[in-house]
PDB file of all heavy atoms in Angstrom:
ATOM      1  N   THR A1002      98.820  77.535 103.889  1.00  0.00           N
ATOM      2  CA  THR A1002      99.872  78.536 104.053  1.00  0.00           C
ATOM      3  C   THR A1002      99.690  79.691 103.079  1.00  0.00           C
ATOM      4  O   THR A1002      99.036  79.565 102.042  1.00  0.00           O
ATOM      5  CB  THR A1002     101.273  77.930 103.816  1.00  0.00           C
ATOM      6  OG1 THR A1002     101.354  77.450 102.461  1.00  0.00           O
ATOM      7  CG2 THR A1002     101.567  76.812 104.781  1.00  0.00           C
ATOM      8  N   ASN A1003     100.292  80.818 103.437  1.00  0.00           N
ATOM      9  CA  ASN A1003     100.397  81.967 102.550  1.00  0.00           C
ATOM     10  C   ASN A1003     101.861  82.103 102.151  1.00  0.00           C
ATOM     11  O   ASN A1003     102.746  82.093 103.010  1.00  0.00           O
ATOM     12  CB  ASN A1003      99.930  83.240 103.261  1.00  0.00           C
ATOM     13  CG  ASN A1003      98.479  83.143 103.678  1.00  0.00           C
ATOM     14  OD1 ASN A1003      97.609  82.848 102.872  1.00  0.00           O
ATOM     15  ND2 ASN A1003      98.216  83.382 104.961  1.00  0.00           N
ATOM     16  N   VAL A1004     102.098  82.223 100.861  1.00  0.00           N
ATOM     17  CA  VAL A1004     103.458  82.184 100.325  1.00  0.00           C
ATOM     18  C   VAL A1004     103.779  83.501  99.625  1.00  0.00           C
ATOM     19  O   VAL A1004     102.960  84.018  98.857  1.00  0.00           O
ATOM     20  CB  VAL A1004     103.616  81.009  99.323  1.00  0.00           C
ATOM     21  CG1 VAL A1004     105.011  80.999  98.716  1.00  0.00           C
ATOM     22  CG2 VAL A1004     103.310  79.678 100.010  1.00  0.00           C
ATOM     23  N   LEU A1005     104.966  84.040  99.885  1.00  0.00           N
ATOM     24  CA  LEU A1005     105.458  85.217  99.175  1.00  0.00           C
ATOM     25  C   LEU A1005     106.528  84.780  98.183  1.00  0.00           C
ATOM     26  O   LEU A1005     107.497  84.115  98.569  1.00  0.00           O
ATOM     27  CB  LEU A1005     106.043  86.235 100.164  1.00  0.00           C
ATOM     28  CG  LEU A1005     106.848  87.397  99.544  1.00  0.00           C
ATOM     29  CD1 LEU A1005     105.969  88.238  98.622  1.00  0.00           C
ATOM     30  CD2 LEU A1005     107.492  88.242 100.628  1.00  0.00           C
ATOM     31  N   VAL A1006     106.346  85.143  96.921  1.00  0.00           N
ATOM     32  CA  VAL A1006     107.338  84.855  95.875  1.00  0.00           C
ATOM     33  C   VAL A1006     107.833  86.182  95.315  1.00  0.00           C
ATOM     34  O   VAL A1006     107.047  86.963  94.756  1.00  0.00           O
ATOM     35  CB  VAL A1006     106.735  84.003  94.736  1.00  0.00           C
ATOM     36  CG1 VAL A1006     107.758  83.823  93.612  1.00  0.00           C
ATOM     37  CG2 VAL A1006     106.286  82.646  95.261  1.00  0.00           C
ATOM     38  N   THR A1007     109.111  86.469  95.467  1.00  0.00           N
ATOM     39  CA  THR A1007     109.696  87.631  94.801  1.00  0.00           C
ATOM     40  C   THR A1007     110.252  87.174  93.454  1.00  0.00           C
ATOM     41  O   THR A1007     110.634  86.022  93.287  1.00  0.00           O
ATOM     42  CB  THR A1007     110.824  88.268  95.639  1.00  0.00           C
ATOM     43  OG1 THR A1007     111.961  87.386  95.663  1.00  0.00           O
ATOM     44  CG2 THR A1007     110.355  88.550  97.054  1.00  0.00           C
ATOM     45  N   GLY A1008     110.274  88.092  92.498  1.00  0.00           N
ATOM     46  CA  GLY A1008     110.729  87.712  91.160  1.00  0.00           C
ATOM     47  C   GLY A1008     109.714  86.879  90.409  1.00  0.00           C
ATOM     48  O   GLY A1008     110.069  86.090  89.532  1.00  0.00           O
ATOM     49  N   GLY A1009     108.447  87.057  90.732  1.00  0.00           N
ATOM     50  CA  GLY A1009     107.389  86.235  90.148  1.00  0.00           C
ATOM     51  C   GLY A1009     107.165  86.454  88.668  1.00  0.00           C
ATOM     52  O   GLY A1009     106.554  85.614  88.006  1.00  0.00           O
ATOM     53  N   THR A1010     107.646  87.573  88.126  1.00  0.00           N
ATOM     54  CA  THR A1010     107.501  87.815  86.686  1.00  0.00           C
ATOM     55  C   THR A1010     108.711  87.322  85.909  1.00  0.00           C
ATOM     56  O   THR A1010     108.740  87.414  84.686  1.00  0.00           O
ATOM     57  CB  THR A1010     107.302  89.315  86.394  1.00  0.00           C
ATOM     58  OG1 THR A1010     108.427  90.038  86.905  1.00  0.00           O
ATOM     59  CG2 THR A1010     106.029  89.833  87.039  1.00  0.00           C
ATOM     60  N   GLY A1011     109.718  86.810  86.606  1.00  0.00           N
ATOM     61  CA  GLY A1011     110.907  86.276  85.948  1.00  0.00           C
ATOM     62  C   GLY A1011     110.720  84.837  85.517  1.00  0.00           C
ATOM     63  O   GLY A1011     109.698  84.207  85.802  1.00  0.00           O
ATOM     64  N   PHE A1012     111.718  84.295  84.853  1.00  0.00           N
ATOM     65  CA  PHE A1012     111.654  82.935  84.315  1.00  0.00           C
ATOM     66  C   PHE A1012     111.407  81.906  85.414  1.00  0.00           C
ATOM     67  O   PHE A1012     110.420  81.153  85.377  1.00  0.00           O
ATOM     68  CB  PHE A1012     112.962  82.636  83.567  1.00  0.00           C
ATOM     69  CG  PHE A1012     113.087  81.225  83.064  1.00  0.00           C
ATOM     70  CD1 PHE A1012     112.103  80.669  82.258  1.00  0.00           C
ATOM     71  CD2 PHE A1012     114.195  80.453  83.383  1.00  0.00           C
ATOM     72  CE1 PHE A1012     112.211  79.362  81.785  1.00  0.00           C
ATOM     73  CE2 PHE A1012     114.324  79.159  82.914  1.00  0.00           C
ATOM     74  CZ  PHE A1012     113.327  78.611  82.115  1.00  0.00           C
ATOM     75  N   LEU A1013     112.261  81.877  86.430  1.00  0.00           N
ATOM     76  CA  LEU A1013     112.083  80.918  87.512  1.00  0.00           C
ATOM     77  C   LEU A1013     110.854  81.254  88.343  1.00  0.00           C
ATOM     78  O   LEU A1013     110.164  80.354  88.831  1.00  0.00           O
ATOM     79  CB  LEU A1013     113.329  80.889  88.400  1.00  0.00           C
ATOM     80  CG  LEU A1013     114.567  80.190  87.834  1.00  0.00           C
ATOM     81  CD1 LEU A1013     115.719  80.252  88.839  1.00  0.00           C
ATOM     82  CD2 LEU A1013     114.271  78.731  87.478  1.00  0.00           C
ATOM     83  N   GLY A1014     110.570  82.541  88.508  1.00  0.00           N
ATOM     84  CA  GLY A1014     109.412  82.945  89.305  1.00  0.00           C
ATOM     85  C   GLY A1014     108.104  82.444  88.728  1.00  0.00           C
ATOM     86  O   GLY A1014     107.228  81.968  89.467  1.00  0.00           O
ATOM     87  N   LYS A1015     107.945  82.551  87.426  1.00  0.00           N
ATOM     88  CA  LYS A1015     106.736  82.029  86.769  1.00  0.00           C
ATOM     89  C   LYS A1015     106.584  80.535  87.023  1.00  0.00           C
ATOM     90  O   LYS A1015     105.506  80.044  87.377  1.00  0.00           O
ATOM     91  CB  LYS A1015     106.802  82.287  85.259  1.00  0.00           C
ATOM     92  CG  LYS A1015     106.546  83.720  84.814  1.00  0.00           C
ATOM     93  CD  LYS A1015     106.601  83.806  83.302  1.00  0.00           C
ATOM     94  CE  LYS A1015     106.153  85.167  82.773  1.00  0.00           C
ATOM     95  NZ  LYS A1015     107.129  86.227  83.040  1.00  0.00           N
ATOM     96  N   LEU A1016     107.675  79.799  86.815  1.00  0.00           N
ATOM     97  CA  LEU A1016     107.633  78.346  86.995  1.00  0.00           C
ATOM     98  C   LEU A1016     107.358  77.974  88.446  1.00  0.00           C
ATOM     99  O   LEU A1016     106.640  76.999  88.716  1.00  0.00           O
ATOM    100  CB  LEU A1016     108.953  77.728  86.530  1.00  0.00           C
ATOM    101  CG  LEU A1016     109.210  77.767  85.024  1.00  0.00           C
ATOM    102  CD1 LEU A1016     110.647  77.375  84.712  1.00  0.00           C
ATOM    103  CD2 LEU A1016     108.241  76.840  84.282  1.00  0.00           C
ATOM    104  N   LEU A1017     107.905  78.738  89.361  1.00  0.00           N
ATOM    105  CA  LEU A1017     107.706  78.452  90.782  1.00  0.00           C
ATOM    106  C   LEU A1017     106.247  78.637  91.180  1.00  0.00           C
ATOM    107  O   LEU A1017     105.655  77.773  91.854  1.00  0.00           O
ATOM    108  CB  LEU A1017     108.614  79.361  91.613  1.00  0.00           C
ATOM    109  CG  LEU A1017     108.503  79.252  93.135  1.00  0.00           C
ATOM    110  CD1 LEU A1017     108.750  77.832  93.599  1.00  0.00           C
ATOM    111  CD2 LEU A1017     109.483  80.223  93.804  1.00  0.00           C
ATOM    112  N   ILE A1018     105.651  79.746  90.770  1.00  0.00           N
ATOM    113  CA  ILE A1018     104.241  79.995  91.093  1.00  0.00           C
ATOM    114  C   ILE A1018     103.353  78.929  90.470  1.00  0.00           C
ATOM    115  O   ILE A1018     102.438  78.401  91.118  1.00  0.00           O
ATOM    116  CB  ILE A1018     103.832  81.408  90.636  1.00  0.00           C
ATOM    117  CG1 ILE A1018     104.520  82.467  91.502  1.00  0.00           C
ATOM    118  CG2 ILE A1018     102.314  81.587  90.683  1.00  0.00           C
ATOM    119  CD1 ILE A1018     104.336  83.884  91.020  1.00  0.00           C
ATOM    120  N   GLU A1019     103.605  78.603  89.215  1.00  0.00           N
ATOM    121  CA  GLU A1019     102.803  77.595  88.520  1.00  0.00           C
ATOM    122  C   GLU A1019     102.883  76.252  89.235  1.00  0.00           C
ATOM    123  O   GLU A1019     101.875  75.577  89.453  1.00  0.00           O
ATOM    124  CB  GLU A1019     103.289  77.467  87.069  1.00  0.00           C
ATOM    125  CG  GLU A1019     102.381  76.672  86.157  1.00  0.00           C
ATOM    126  CD  GLU A1019     102.545  75.167  86.283  1.00  0.00           C
ATOM    127  OE1 GLU A1019     103.614  74.720  86.757  1.00  0.00           O
ATOM    128  OE2 GLU A1019     101.613  74.431  85.901  1.00  0.00           O
ATOM    129  N   LYS A1020     104.092  75.853  89.612  1.00  0.00           N
ATOM    130  CA  LYS A1020     104.288  74.542  90.253  1.00  0.00           C
ATOM    131  C   LYS A1020     103.619  74.503  91.626  1.00  0.00           C
ATOM    132  O   LYS A1020     102.985  73.496  91.996  1.00  0.00           O
ATOM    133  CB  LYS A1020     105.788  74.284  90.388  1.00  0.00           C
ATOM    134  CG  LYS A1020     106.142  72.979  91.095  1.00  0.00           C
ATOM    135  CD  LYS A1020     106.204  71.820  90.162  1.00  0.00           C
ATOM    136  CE  LYS A1020     106.767  70.582  90.851  1.00  0.00           C
ATOM    137  NZ  LYS A1020     106.901  69.445  89.944  1.00  0.00           N
ATOM    138  N   LEU A1021     103.748  75.569  92.386  1.00  0.00           N
ATOM    139  CA  LEU A1021     103.114  75.604  93.698  1.00  0.00           C
ATOM    140  C   LEU A1021     101.607  75.476  93.584  1.00  0.00           C
ATOM    141  O   LEU A1021     100.971  74.708  94.325  1.00  0.00           O
ATOM    142  CB  LEU A1021     103.476  76.911  94.418  1.00  0.00           C
ATOM    143  CG  LEU A1021     104.894  77.038  94.983  1.00  0.00           C
ATOM    144  CD1 LEU A1021     105.171  78.464  95.411  1.00  0.00           C
ATOM    145  CD2 LEU A1021     105.103  76.066  96.149  1.00  0.00           C
ATOM    146  N   LEU A1022     100.999  76.210  92.658  1.00  0.00           N
ATOM    147  CA  LEU A1022      99.541  76.165  92.497  1.00  0.00           C
ATOM    148  C   LEU A1022      99.078  74.804  91.987  1.00  0.00           C
ATOM    149  O   LEU A1022      98.006  74.324  92.368  1.00  0.00           O
ATOM    150  CB  LEU A1022      99.102  77.264  91.528  1.00  0.00           C
ATOM    151  CG  LEU A1022      99.226  78.702  92.039  1.00  0.00           C
ATOM    152  CD1 LEU A1022      98.914  79.686  90.923  1.00  0.00           C
ATOM    153  CD2 LEU A1022      98.305  78.947  93.236  1.00  0.00           C
ATOM    154  N   ARG A1023      99.871  74.190  91.130  1.00  0.00           N
ATOM    155  CA  ARG A1023      99.448  72.933  90.499  1.00  0.00           C
ATOM    156  C   ARG A1023      99.629  71.730  91.422  1.00  0.00           C
ATOM    157  O   ARG A1023      98.828  70.791  91.381  1.00  0.00           O
ATOM    158  CB  ARG A1023     100.235  72.734  89.200  1.00  0.00           C
ATOM    159  CG  ARG A1023      99.887  71.462  88.425  1.00  0.00           C
ATOM    160  CD  ARG A1023     100.394  71.519  86.994  1.00  0.00           C
ATOM    161  NE  ARG A1023     101.774  71.968  86.919  1.00  0.00           N
ATOM    162  CZ  ARG A1023     102.839  71.182  87.061  1.00  0.00           C
ATOM    163  NH1 ARG A1023     102.680  69.890  87.321  1.00  0.00           N
ATOM    164  NH2 ARG A1023     104.053  71.677  86.966  1.00  0.00           N
ATOM    165  N   THR A1024     100.662  71.750  92.256  1.00  0.00           N
ATOM    166  CA  THR A1024     100.972  70.557  93.055  1.00  0.00           C
ATOM    167  C   THR A1024     100.584  70.694  94.520  1.00  0.00           C
ATOM    168  O   THR A1024     100.485  69.683  95.210  1.00  0.00           O
ATOM    169  CB  THR A1024     102.473  70.232  92.964  1.00  0.00           C
ATOM    170  OG1 THR A1024     103.229  71.346  93.463  1.00  0.00           O
ATOM    171  CG2 THR A1024     102.882  69.940  91.528  1.00  0.00           C
ATOM    172  N   CYS A1025     100.418  71.906  94.988  1.00  0.00           N
ATOM    173  CA  CYS A1025     100.066  72.132  96.397  1.00  0.00           C
ATOM    174  C   CYS A1025      98.713  72.841  96.440  1.00  0.00           C
ATOM    175  O   CYS A1025      98.628  74.055  96.700  1.00  0.00           O
ATOM    176  CB  CYS A1025     101.147  72.952  97.095  1.00  0.00           C
ATOM    177  SG  CYS A1025     102.797  72.226  96.994  1.00  0.00           S
ATOM    178  N   SER A1026      97.681  72.094  96.183  1.00  0.00           N
ATOM    179  CA  SER A1026      96.347  72.669  95.940  1.00  0.00           C
ATOM    180  C   SER A1026      95.739  73.341  97.159  1.00  0.00           C
ATOM    181  O   SER A1026      94.808  74.143  97.028  1.00  0.00           O
ATOM    182  CB  SER A1026      95.394  71.581  95.435  1.00  0.00           C
ATOM    183  OG  SER A1026      95.325  70.513  96.370  1.00  0.00           O
ATOM    184  N   ASP A1027      96.251  73.054  98.349  1.00  0.00           N
ATOM    185  CA  ASP A1027      95.670  73.639  99.551  1.00  0.00           C
ATOM    186  C   ASP A1027      96.382  74.905 100.018  1.00  0.00           C
ATOM    187  O   ASP A1027      96.126  75.399 101.125  1.00  0.00           O
ATOM    188  CB  ASP A1027      95.651  72.604 100.687  1.00  0.00           C
ATOM    189  CG  ASP A1027      94.641  71.497 100.424  1.00  0.00           C
ATOM    190  OD1 ASP A1027      93.610  71.797  99.800  1.00  0.00           O
ATOM    191  OD2 ASP A1027      94.894  70.344 100.832  1.00  0.00           O
ATOM    192  N   ILE A1028      97.275  75.428  99.198  1.00  0.00           N
ATOM    193  CA  ILE A1028      97.847  76.741  99.497  1.00  0.00           C
ATOM    194  C   ILE A1028      96.707  77.768  99.539  1.00  0.00           C
ATOM    195  O   ILE A1028      95.822  77.753  98.685  1.00  0.00           O
ATOM    196  CB  ILE A1028      98.894  77.134  98.431  1.00  0.00           C
ATOM    197  CG1 ILE A1028     100.230  76.448  98.719  1.00  0.00           C
ATOM    198  CG2 ILE A1028      99.094  78.646  98.373  1.00  0.00           C
ATOM    199  CD1 ILE A1028     101.326  76.795  97.737  1.00  0.00           C
ATOM    200  N   VAL A1029      96.738  78.650 100.510  1.00  0.00           N
ATOM    201  CA  VAL A1029      95.672  79.645 100.632  1.00  0.00           C
ATOM    202  C   VAL A1029      95.853  80.750  99.603  1.00  0.00           C
ATOM    203  O   VAL A1029      94.956  81.064  98.827  1.00  0.00           O
ATOM    204  CB  VAL A1029      95.639  80.242 102.057  1.00  0.00           C
ATOM    205  CG1 VAL A1029      94.567  81.342 102.150  1.00  0.00           C
ATOM    206  CG2 VAL A1029      95.370  79.148 103.081  1.00  0.00           C
ATOM    207  N   ARG A1030      97.057  81.354  99.580  1.00  0.00           N
ATOM    208  CA  ARG A1030      97.323  82.417  98.602  1.00  0.00           C
ATOM    209  C   ARG A1030      98.820  82.540  98.361  1.00  0.00           C
ATOM    210  O   ARG A1030      99.635  82.116  99.186  1.00  0.00           O
ATOM    211  CB  ARG A1030      96.736  83.754  99.058  1.00  0.00           C
ATOM    212  CG  ARG A1030      97.361  84.366 100.270  1.00  0.00           C
ATOM    213  CD  ARG A1030      96.699  85.703 100.617  1.00  0.00           C
ATOM    214  NE  ARG A1030      95.282  85.538 100.909  1.00  0.00           N
ATOM    215  CZ  ARG A1030      94.793  85.230 102.103  1.00  0.00           C
ATOM    216  NH1 ARG A1030      95.614  85.049 103.123  1.00  0.00           N
ATOM    217  NH2 ARG A1030      93.500  85.116 102.296  1.00  0.00           N
ATOM    218  N   ILE A1031      99.142  83.127  97.219  1.00  0.00           N
ATOM    219  CA  ILE A1031     100.525  83.438  96.881  1.00  0.00           C
ATOM    220  C   ILE A1031     100.630  84.933  96.631  1.00  0.00           C
ATOM    221  O   ILE A1031      99.932  85.485  95.773  1.00  0.00           O
ATOM    222  CB  ILE A1031     100.988  82.661  95.627  1.00  0.00           C
ATOM    223  CG1 ILE A1031     101.011  81.161  95.913  1.00  0.00           C
ATOM    224  CG2 ILE A1031     102.374  83.140  95.181  1.00  0.00           C
ATOM    225  CD1 ILE A1031     101.436  80.316  94.715  1.00  0.00           C
ATOM    226  N   TYR A1032     101.467  85.592  97.409  1.00  0.00           N
ATOM    227  CA  TYR A1032     101.717  87.010  97.207  1.00  0.00           C
ATOM    228  C   TYR A1032     102.825  87.183  96.167  1.00  0.00           C
ATOM    229  O   TYR A1032     103.824  86.467  96.182  1.00  0.00           O
ATOM    230  CB  TYR A1032     102.151  87.679  98.517  1.00  0.00           C
ATOM    231  CG  TYR A1032     101.095  87.683  99.579  1.00  0.00           C
ATOM    232  CD1 TYR A1032     101.273  86.971 100.772  1.00  0.00           C
ATOM    233  CD2 TYR A1032      99.915  88.397  99.417  1.00  0.00           C
ATOM    234  CE1 TYR A1032     100.313  86.977 101.773  1.00  0.00           C
ATOM    235  CE2 TYR A1032      98.939  88.418 100.410  1.00  0.00           C
ATOM    236  CZ  TYR A1032      99.145  87.696 101.582  1.00  0.00           C
ATOM    237  OH  TYR A1032      98.178  87.704 102.558  1.00  0.00           O
ATOM    238  N   MET A1033     102.639  88.160  95.311  1.00  0.00           N
ATOM    239  CA  MET A1033     103.579  88.388  94.221  1.00  0.00           C
ATOM    240  C   MET A1033     103.833  89.888  94.105  1.00  0.00           C
ATOM    241  O   MET A1033     102.898  90.674  93.933  1.00  0.00           O
ATOM    242  CB  MET A1033     102.972  87.832  92.923  1.00  0.00           C
ATOM    243  CG  MET A1033     103.804  87.994  91.693  1.00  0.00           C
ATOM    244  SD  MET A1033     102.907  87.198  90.312  1.00  0.00           S
ATOM    245  CE  MET A1033     103.828  87.877  88.936  1.00  0.00           C
ATOM    246  N   ILE A1034     105.094  90.292  94.229  1.00  0.00           N
ATOM    247  CA  ILE A1034     105.444  91.714  94.156  1.00  0.00           C
ATOM    248  C   ILE A1034     105.781  92.077  92.712  1.00  0.00           C
ATOM    249  O   ILE A1034     106.634  91.449  92.083  1.00  0.00           O
ATOM    250  CB  ILE A1034     106.634  92.038  95.073  1.00  0.00           C
ATOM    251  CG1 ILE A1034     106.296  91.666  96.525  1.00  0.00           C
ATOM    252  CG2 ILE A1034     107.015  93.508  94.971  1.00  0.00           C
ATOM    253  CD1 ILE A1034     107.453  91.834  97.491  1.00  0.00           C
ATOM    254  N   VAL A1035     105.097  93.080  92.177  1.00  0.00           N
ATOM    255  CA  VAL A1035     105.266  93.478  90.774  1.00  0.00           C
ATOM    256  C   VAL A1035     105.495  94.981  90.712  1.00  0.00           C
ATOM    257  O   VAL A1035     104.866  95.743  91.439  1.00  0.00           O
ATOM    258  CB  VAL A1035     104.021  93.116  89.934  1.00  0.00           C
ATOM    259  CG1 VAL A1035     104.249  93.453  88.456  1.00  0.00           C
ATOM    260  CG2 VAL A1035     103.670  91.641  90.093  1.00  0.00           C
ATOM    261  N   ARG A1036     106.389  95.409  89.827  1.00  0.00           N
ATOM    262  CA  ARG A1036     106.661  96.835  89.657  1.00  0.00           C
ATOM    263  C   ARG A1036     106.178  97.311  88.288  1.00  0.00           C
ATOM    264  O   ARG A1036     106.101  96.522  87.340  1.00  0.00           O
ATOM    265  CB  ARG A1036     108.160  97.118  89.778  1.00  0.00           C
ATOM    266  CG  ARG A1036     109.008  96.539  88.645  1.00  0.00           C
ATOM    267  CD  ARG A1036     110.466  96.792  88.920  1.00  0.00           C
ATOM    268  NE  ARG A1036     111.333  96.124  87.947  1.00  0.00           N
ATOM    269  CZ  ARG A1036     111.914  96.725  86.931  1.00  0.00           C
ATOM    270  NH1 ARG A1036     111.701  98.015  86.713  1.00  0.00           N
ATOM    271  NH2 ARG A1036     112.711  96.051  86.119  1.00  0.00           N
ATOM    272  N   PRO A1037     105.836  98.598  88.166  1.00  0.00           N
ATOM    273  CA  PRO A1037     105.557  99.160  86.844  1.00  0.00           C
ATOM    274  C   PRO A1037     106.831  99.107  86.002  1.00  0.00           C
ATOM    275  O   PRO A1037     107.937  99.224  86.527  1.00  0.00           O
ATOM    276  CB  PRO A1037     105.157 100.612  87.148  1.00  0.00           C
ATOM    277  CG  PRO A1037     104.864 100.652  88.607  1.00  0.00           C
ATOM    278  CD  PRO A1037     105.716  99.603  89.239  1.00  0.00           C
ATOM    279  N   LYS A1038     106.670  98.937  84.685  1.00  0.00           N
ATOM    280  CA  LYS A1038     107.853  98.823  83.826  1.00  0.00           C
ATOM    281  C   LYS A1038     107.486  99.134  82.382  1.00  0.00           C
ATOM    282  O   LYS A1038     106.467  98.677  81.877  1.00  0.00           O
ATOM    283  CB  LYS A1038     108.442  97.403  83.928  1.00  0.00           C
ATOM    284  CG  LYS A1038     109.726  97.184  83.165  1.00  0.00           C
ATOM    285  CD  LYS A1038     110.212  95.744  83.356  1.00  0.00           C
ATOM    286  CE  LYS A1038     111.477  95.475  82.577  1.00  0.00           C
ATOM    287  NZ  LYS A1038     111.934  94.061  82.737  1.00  0.00           N
ATOM    288  N   LYS A1039     108.344  99.909  81.730  1.00  0.00           N
ATOM    289  CA  LYS A1039     108.215 100.219  80.307  1.00  0.00           C
ATOM    290  C   LYS A1039     106.824 100.724  79.943  1.00  0.00           C
ATOM    291  O   LYS A1039     106.201 100.251  78.984  1.00  0.00           O
ATOM    292  CB  LYS A1039     108.573  98.983  79.465  1.00  0.00           C
ATOM    293  CG  LYS A1039     110.025  98.564  79.590  1.00  0.00           C
ATOM    294  CD  LYS A1039     110.341  97.346  78.743  1.00  0.00           C
ATOM    295  CE  LYS A1039     111.812  96.956  78.878  1.00  0.00           C
ATOM    296  NZ  LYS A1039     112.143  95.745  78.075  1.00  0.00           N
ATOM    297  N   GLY A1040     106.333 101.660  80.733  1.00  0.00           N
ATOM    298  CA  GLY A1040     105.046 102.271  80.439  1.00  0.00           C
ATOM    299  C   GLY A1040     103.842 101.458  80.842  1.00  0.00           C
ATOM    300  O   GLY A1040     102.703 101.891  80.624  1.00  0.00           O
ATOM    301  N   LYS A1041     104.049 100.294  81.438  1.00  0.00           N
ATOM    302  CA  LYS A1041     102.936  99.450  81.880  1.00  0.00           C
ATOM    303  C   LYS A1041     102.812  99.505  83.393  1.00  0.00           C
ATOM    304  O   LYS A1041     103.817  99.509  84.107  1.00  0.00           O
ATOM    305  CB  LYS A1041     103.140  98.009  81.423  1.00  0.00           C
ATOM    306  CG  LYS A1041     103.101  97.822  79.911  1.00  0.00           C
ATOM    307  CD  LYS A1041     103.284  96.368  79.535  1.00  0.00           C
ATOM    308  CE  LYS A1041     103.239  96.187  78.016  1.00  0.00           C
ATOM    309  NZ  LYS A1041     103.445  94.777  77.611  1.00  0.00           N
ATOM    310  N   THR A1042     101.588  99.536  83.870  1.00  0.00           N
ATOM    311  CA  THR A1042     101.367  99.534  85.313  1.00  0.00           C
ATOM    312  C   THR A1042     101.678  98.158  85.875  1.00  0.00           C
ATOM    313  O   THR A1042     101.776  97.161  85.144  1.00  0.00           O
ATOM    314  CB  THR A1042      99.909  99.894  85.640  1.00  0.00           C
ATOM    315  OG1 THR A1042      99.049  98.844  85.153  1.00  0.00           O
ATOM    316  CG2 THR A1042      99.515 101.222  85.010  1.00  0.00           C
ATOM    317  N   ALA A1043     101.816  98.106  87.189  1.00  0.00           N
ATOM    318  CA  ALA A1043     102.063  96.823  87.842  1.00  0.00           C
ATOM    319  C   ALA A1043     100.911  95.852  87.585  1.00  0.00           C
ATOM    320  O   ALA A1043     101.126  94.651  87.347  1.00  0.00           O
ATOM    321  CB  ALA A1043     102.248  97.037  89.344  1.00  0.00           C
ATOM    322  N   LEU A1044      99.681  96.354  87.601  1.00  0.00           N
ATOM    323  CA  LEU A1044      98.523  95.496  87.361  1.00  0.00           C
ATOM    324  C   LEU A1044      98.510  94.950  85.938  1.00  0.00           C
ATOM    325  O   LEU A1044      98.194  93.772  85.723  1.00  0.00           O
ATOM    326  CB  LEU A1044      97.229  96.269  87.636  1.00  0.00           C
ATOM    327  CG  LEU A1044      95.926  95.477  87.512  1.00  0.00           C
ATOM    328  CD1 LEU A1044      95.933  94.282  88.457  1.00  0.00           C
ATOM    329  CD2 LEU A1044      94.720  96.372  87.778  1.00  0.00           C
TER     330      LEU A1044
END
């Protein structure tokens, strides 16, 4: 599956992405939406 996680840079978002990758090893990809903030680019 391909999974979209919004809020991936937040507290729960980080834990959610980590848990999905660690326990569901056959996930194809996880999409993560990130915005520029405080002078830093999204990348």
Side-chain angles (χ1 to χ4, degrees):
T1002 62
N1003 299 307
V1004 178
L1005 168 62
V1006 175
T1007 70
T1010 59
F1012 175 54
L1013 286 180
K1015 285 182 172 72
L1016 291 169
L1017 177 57
I1018 291 172
E1019 192 279 338
K1020 178 87 171 183
L1021 286 169
L1022 290 173
R1023 180 164 47 85
T1024 60
C1025 304
S1026 57
D1027 290 327
I1028 280 181
V1029 177
R1030 67 179 61 86
I1031 295 179
Y1032 295 115
M1033 179 178 166
I1034 301 175
V1035 184
R1036 67 184 173 101
K1038 184 180 178 181
K1039 295 180 179 179
K1041 294 181 180 179
T1042 66
L1044 184 58

